Amino acid sequence: MTIDETAPLPSSDEALRGAVRFVALANLAYFGVEFAIALAIGSVALFADSIDFLEDTALNLLILIGLGWSAVWRGRLGMILAGILLIPSLATVWKAWEKFLHPVPPDPVWLAVAGVGALAVNLTCALVLARHRQHQGSLVKAAFFSARNDALANVAIVVAGIVTTLVLSGWPDLIVGLGILVINADAARKVWIAARREVRLAEETRN
């Protein structure tokens, strides 16, 4: 998940609300699908990517909740979110450690199929948010760039599935999973930075 660290959240707009609501629900739904498949086939990459869908759900819910809030409270909410986002990432670390100790390859067909499904969801969300990406507000822009850039991780998952078929190893899945984990952790860090900046600017303006 990639975060742009600028500007305040945009003013309330019904079209924006509808788009963000759709994206939040789509991400939440596919989180459930991908998480279930990840557990069933023992895939670190799908596990990490499902956490990314959960992060994107939280991000879009934050936008919905924050519309109409003051910049200070919006920033504080963002800081809380950043902390929450790190919690499921710890579960990914545990899953990766298990895979490292026992690098059993996941089912490559299900791995690739789930990756294609994730790619379709992220591209759809990016298209839905595209018309709103020029709105001022770091979180709105973050939602768009997140959906767009997450598609790259989904392509990596599909490739991991293909490579796993050829080499019959758990390492391609583990490597992609660790890469997605790093992206997720960096996203939480940038949400925290953006939120702190928003609170600081609002307090300086008020004073």
Side-chain angles (χ1 to χ4, degrees):
M1 187 170 64
T2 303
I3 303 297
D4 183 3
E5 302 174 12
T6 60
L9 207 64
S11 59
S12 178
D13 177 90
E14 193 56 36
L16 174 61
R17 286 181 183 274
V20 172
R21 189 179 299 114
F22 170 84
V23 171
L25 291 174
N27 276 280
L28 180 60
Y30 203 76
F31 156 73
V33 172
E34 197 170 46
F35 185 77
I37 297 175
L39 292 181
I41 68 174
S43 170
V44 176
L46 291 184
F47 191 93
D49 197 52
S50 70
I51 298 304
D52 188 62
F53 274 105
L54 188 61
E55 288 181 345
D56 287 349
T57 299
L59 176 61
N60 283 278
L61 288 178
L62 175 62
I63 295 172
L64 282 176
I65 295 171
L67 286 172
W69 283 26
S70 69
V72 171
W73 280 105
R74 199 164 55 236
R76 289 171 179 170
L77 185 61
M79 292 168 70
I80 294 173
L81 171 65
I84 292 174
L85 293 181
L86 288 177
I87 297 174
S89 294
L90 296 178
T92 306
V93 173
W94 168 74
K95 194 72 176 177
W97 177 248
E98 279 192 334
K99 176 68 71 171
F100 178 78
L101 294 177
H102 305 285
V104 179
D107 185 305
V109 175
W110 277 107
L111 181 61
V113 168
V116 171
L119 178 61
V121 172
N122 278 315
L123 290 179
T124 299
C125 290
L127 289 174
V128 170
L129 292 170
R131 70 174 64 181
H132 304 286
R133 68 182 184 277
Q134 297 304 325
H135 278 261
Q136 285 189 331
S138 60
L139 295 179
V140 176
K141 293 174 183 175
F144 167 73
F145 287 118
S146 173
R148 187 193 67 178
N149 294 343
D150 286 347
L152 296 176
N154 302 147
V155 171
I157 290 174
V158 174
V159 172
I162 296 172
V163 174
T164 300
T165 303
L166 299 175
V167 301
L168 297 178
S169 169
W171 286 102
D173 174 67
L174 177 59
I175 292 170
V176 172
L178 290 176
I180 297 174
L181 171 63
V182 171
I183 293 173
N184 291 347
D186 187 60
R189 180 186 68 84
K190 289 180 178 178
V191 169
W192 174 271
I193 291 174
R196 283 189 60 186
R197 179 177 298 175
E198 194 162 28
V199 171
R200 185 173 63 252
L201 290 176
E203 290 178 342
E204 289 175 353
T205 301
R206 187 171 57 186
N207 296 330

